[in-house]
Amino acid sequence: MTSEKPVPSLAELRQEIDRIDEAMHRLLMERGTIIDRLIESKKASETGLSSAFRPGREASMMKALAERHEGLLPLDTVESIWRVIIGTFTYVQSNYAVHADVSGGDAPMRDSARFHFGFTVPYVTHPSAAAVIEAVAGSKGDLGIFRLDQGATSGAWWRTLAERDRPKIIARLPFIERPDHPAGTPVFVISKPLTDAAVRDVVLYAAQFERWHRGANEALTQLGGEVVASAADASGLSELIAVPGTMAASRLQKELTEAGASLVQLAEVGSHAERFHVK
């Protein structure tokens, strides 16, 4: 004889959904009480506003989320829910705004800002990456976002990040890269320099050359690096270079010089987590 489990009624299933919804809400409120204790702890230790941003931890959380996700609910939805939770609770810890370069169009930047930081965080538009950098530099603890591909007319904006106390690149979005991502425009996130929260899977350098040699491209590729952006000026060629975080600046300079590039200056301008791809 076989025994079949009784099919639950619609009322019973809806009760289960209500139970889960209430449990999720209570867990969010519990998370809020922990954040409140965290705020008090930071006040006691007198840490700065930028201590609320933990790009390495966020990248790790999003990777774990994508790796364990399964079932009916789309990953896009799950990712966006977690991004709103993270962005909003960070805002609760220390109010901040997101400054966006809309020179390439407002819609993709607004999508990126709202997807990754939610609707509670103020969104401020600017006409260029340079303007975003200056807005972040003059703020108490805001973030800035702009596209990786700025085009030749934007100039070597990365050079303005080279000085020690200037804003730095702290993340590359989206954290989870996949085809048809709803906020898939590749953007950099900048903030004032982070003391201990920066993740250094990939390190970015502003490099100034008197002359460039095609052999340097091959050398950079062999090192696992890439040229993210470049711009010519009266002093020669300026490039934004990304390399693995395990590579010392001295080795990068040595390899490029030996490959025929006349390197004048090399300055670190930020770092971010390694890109994580899912199908």
Side-chain angles (χ1 to χ4, degrees):
M1 296 178 63
T2 60
S3 60
E4 295 182 359
K5 292 183 179 180
V7 177
S9 67
L10 287 177
E12 290 172 330
L13 291 173
R14 285 166 181 157
Q15 285 179 350
E16 283 293 288
I17 290 172
D18 290 342
R19 178 187 62 79
I20 293 169
D21 286 347
E22 181 182 348
M24 289 192 298
H25 186 202
R26 292 190 181 280
L27 286 171
L28 282 174
M29 291 189 289
E30 183 180 351
R31 194 183 199 276
T33 62
I34 295 173
I35 294 296
D36 193 35
R37 289 158 53 193
L38 183 64
I39 292 170
E40 291 302 315
S41 176
K42 287 182 177 181
K43 285 180 181 177
S45 60
E46 297 183 352
T47 55
L49 287 173
S50 63
S51 63
F53 302 120
R54 316 294 295 186
R57 175 169 166 74
E58 290 185 23
S60 177
M61 290 171 66
M62 301 317 297
K63 180 178 179 180
L65 182 82
E67 287 178 334
R68 71 169 174 260
H69 183 66
E70 59 183 23
L72 185 66
L73 192 63
L75 178 59
D76 290 342
T77 304
V78 177
E79 183 187 2
S80 66
I81 290 171
W82 253 259
R83 288 306 316 161
V84 169
I85 291 171
I86 293 169
T88 304
F89 274 116
T90 302
Y91 180 76
V92 170
Q93 291 182 62
S94 58
N95 291 359
Y96 68 97
V98 174
H99 299 266
D101 163 33
V102 296
S103 60
D106 176 67
M109 301 307 292
R110 190 177 294 269
D111 286 348
S112 183
R114 292 313 185 204
F115 185 93
H116 292 101
F117 303 104
F119 286 85
T120 303
V121 179
Y123 172 77
V124 186
T125 61
H126 297 272
S128 65
V132 168
I133 292 168
E134 294 310 314
V136 172
S139 72
K140 289 184 177 180
D142 291 350
L143 297 180
I145 59 173
F146 44 77
R147 293 173 295 108
L148 273 64
D149 180 16
Q150 290 287 312
T153 58
S154 64
W157 53 264
W158 50 90
R159 290 173 62 179
T160 66
L161 305 176
E163 294 182 15
R164 181 176 180 180
D165 295 329
R166 293 286 288 171
K168 296 290 183 284
I169 296 167
I170 63 168
R172 173 176 170 154
L173 300 178
F175 286 112
I176 305 171
E177 298 193 10
R178 58 189 179 278
D180 301 321
H181 193 292
T185 301
V187 301
F188 281 136
V189 182
I190 64 167
S191 78
K192 287 188 172 180
L194 301 178
T195 53
D196 62 349
V199 57
R200 298 178 61 81
D201 293 345
V202 177
V203 176
L204 297 144
Y205 292 96
Q208 186 70 26
F209 301 90
E210 281 186 348
R211 66 178 183 276
W212 180 254
H213 190 278
R214 62 183 182 182
N217 277 330
E218 186 176 333
L220 188 59
T221 300
Q222 289 177 351
L223 294 172
E226 63 175 331
V227 175
V228 179
S230 63
D233 56 25
S235 303
L237 179 67
S238 183
E239 291 190 340
L240 178 62
I241 293 175
V243 296
T246 53
M247 181 173 302
S250 57
R251 183 188 173 192
L252 175 62
Q253 183 161 355
K254 177 177 178 291
E255 295 284 350
L256 291 177
T257 302
E258 289 181 352
S262 179
L263 184 59
V264 176
Q265 186 180 20
L266 189 68
E268 185 175 325
V269 295
S271 60
H272 60 77
E274 187 177 5
R275 292 146 69 187
F276 179 65
H277 297 267
V278 297
K279 294 182 180 179

